[in-house]
Amino acid sequence: MSDVARVAAGMNALVEADDRQGGHTELERAASQGRNRVLELQQRNAGERVRRALYALAAEYTTIAAWSCIDARNLTQAQSYLNESATYAGLSQDGPTEMRVWVNLAMLAYQRRNWPEALAAAQAAQASSAARRDPFFDSLGRVRVALAYAALGDSRAGLRSLGSAQDTFTRVVDRERPRWTAFYGQAELDHLGAVIQFNSGRHPHAEAMAHQALARIPTAFRRNRALATAQLALTQLHQGEAEQATASATDVFTIMDGDPLPGRMRTLMGDFHRGLFAMAPYTSYARNWTDRMRTEWSRA
């Protein structure tokens, strides 16, 4: 096995680890070490094609480290990694790799509630060469644009972009794409659509889309199902269905089956907790929820 193939195989192992456990310190460290090995290989004499492939691998490793930090809510370190990854992606001249970095920059800006930056990064993803060539990437860019518009309070533009992302996705054909793209499909589009509808104040539509997402997300994809269920709970709460919303929120813990909640999920559950106690602080189900949440929150 060549050195390039060896570091590529190492990256695949990290992707599998992320699928199993989500972001954590050991994953970030391993991804950083992988990036360093790739950069060491760059110091050797190599042809242009190999150099570009190595820069793409460096971008992939650094993006994995960034995503691990996003999951763990270490957003400042994630920003540093993604800025670095953007440099490697540009040097690679690989369209899907550049697309991945723009999408992750949009996700990070969204997590940091920097809506203008989230919109700019999403628009860059939508304008990328990968999006121009493949409806799959085009749809992915458009739905990130929709998320940013909705967060900015421009619900009309957000819903228009969501509709465009949905229409574009109907033109997607099966073909080989990088492994990182596996997260995006009709189920994820429905889940993100629920977020966009929620942020646009269309809570019944958001609930319907959350149910659609859950009907499509495989049971094995626990984190995806848990995130969609947390979103469902929020939409139900905002429609005044506090007891049903609490049951849905409790399902998040059941789905995660004792594993610690990733940082992004903890943020959603924290939002739910505050909303529940603003609406129904003295109910028995709110007290039961508090007991369950205290137990789950204590997991390291």
Side-chain angles (χ1 to χ4, degrees):
M1 181 184 291
S2 69
D3 289 335
V4 175
R6 201 170 287 115
V7 293
M11 185 187 65
N12 289 335
L14 293 187
V15 172
E16 291 174 359
D18 182 45
D19 289 344
R20 289 192 306 271
Q21 189 176 346
H24 52 283
T25 302
E26 287 303 315
L27 179 61
E28 177 196 351
R29 183 180 297 113
S32 297
Q33 291 171 347
R35 172 206 58 195
N36 293 340
R37 287 195 296 273
V38 172
L39 295 178
E40 288 171 7
L41 291 176
Q42 278 285 7
Q43 303 306 310
R44 305 178 186 179
N45 292 327
E48 181 179 353
R49 183 181 62 81
V50 174
R51 286 200 306 273
R52 288 182 180 176
L54 287 170
Y55 278 126
L57 280 170
E60 294 274 355
Y61 269 114
T62 312
T63 301
I64 290 172
W67 188 251
S68 185
C69 290
I70 292 172
D71 248 2
R73 302 299 293 169
N74 186 357
L75 302 186
T76 300
Q77 184 60 44
Q79 185 74 62
S80 177
Y81 279 130
L82 283 180
N83 291 343
E84 182 181 352
S85 184
T87 299
Y88 300 141
L91 292 170
S92 77
Q93 299 181 42
D94 180 74
T97 300
E98 292 180 282
M99 178 79 182
R100 183 182 191 184
V101 173
W102 286 123
V103 167
N104 277 273
L105 283 167
M107 289 179 176
L108 176 58
Y110 190 93
Q111 293 292 318
R112 302 186 81 165
R113 299 180 181 269
N114 186 337
W115 315 131
E117 185 174 312
L119 178 60
Q123 288 173 328
Q126 185 182 335
S128 68
S129 62
R132 291 195 301 271
R133 294 169 183 165
D134 187 344
F136 176 92
F137 291 115
D138 190 15
S139 176
L140 177 54
R142 289 175 188 275
V143 78
R144 297 307 313 184
V145 168
L147 283 161
Y149 272 132
L152 281 163
D154 191 344
S155 59
R156 179 176 297 180
L159 294 170
R160 185 171 59 247
S161 293
L162 172 60
S164 181
Q166 292 168 326
D167 290 343
T168 302
F169 195 79
T170 64
R171 302 199 301 272
V172 171
V173 296
D174 287 337
R175 49 172 283 196
E176 186 176 354
R177 295 184 179 90
R179 180 169 178 170
W180 68 265
T181 63
F183 81 96
Y184 189 64
Q186 187 61 60
E188 179 67 7
L189 182 52
D190 288 341
H191 175 207
L192 296 178
V195 177
I196 293 160
Q197 297 281 4
F198 178 83
N199 288 341
S200 299
R202 291 159 54 94
H203 300 133
H205 294 80
E207 181 175 3
M209 295 204 77
H211 281 298
Q212 284 179 209
L214 287 167
R216 290 185 166 117
I217 299 172
T219 304
F221 291 3
R222 287 191 304 156
R223 284 190 300 154
N224 302 62
R225 290 191 65 82
L227 281 167
T229 302
Q231 187 62 47
L232 174 62
L234 282 171
T235 64
Q236 291 169 332
L237 186 66
H238 279 257
Q239 294 176 83
E241 302 166 4
E243 188 168 7
Q244 179 59 55
T246 303
S248 296
T250 304
D251 284 344
V252 173
F253 299 134
T254 303
I255 292 167
M256 292 302 291
D257 193 26
D259 285 347
L261 273 60
R264 291 174 297 142
M265 203 178 299
R266 291 171 72 93
T267 298
L268 282 177
M269 299 303 275
D271 290 344
F272 174 82
H273 180 79
R274 287 185 291 274
L276 175 63
F277 275 82
M279 182 179 295
Y282 305 115
T283 59
S284 59
Y285 54 82
R287 290 195 298 272
N288 292 337
W289 158 262
T290 300
D291 292 341
R292 181 69 183 272
M293 185 175 177
R294 187 180 297 115
T295 299
E296 299 293 342
W297 236 243
S298 67
R299 301 182 193 277

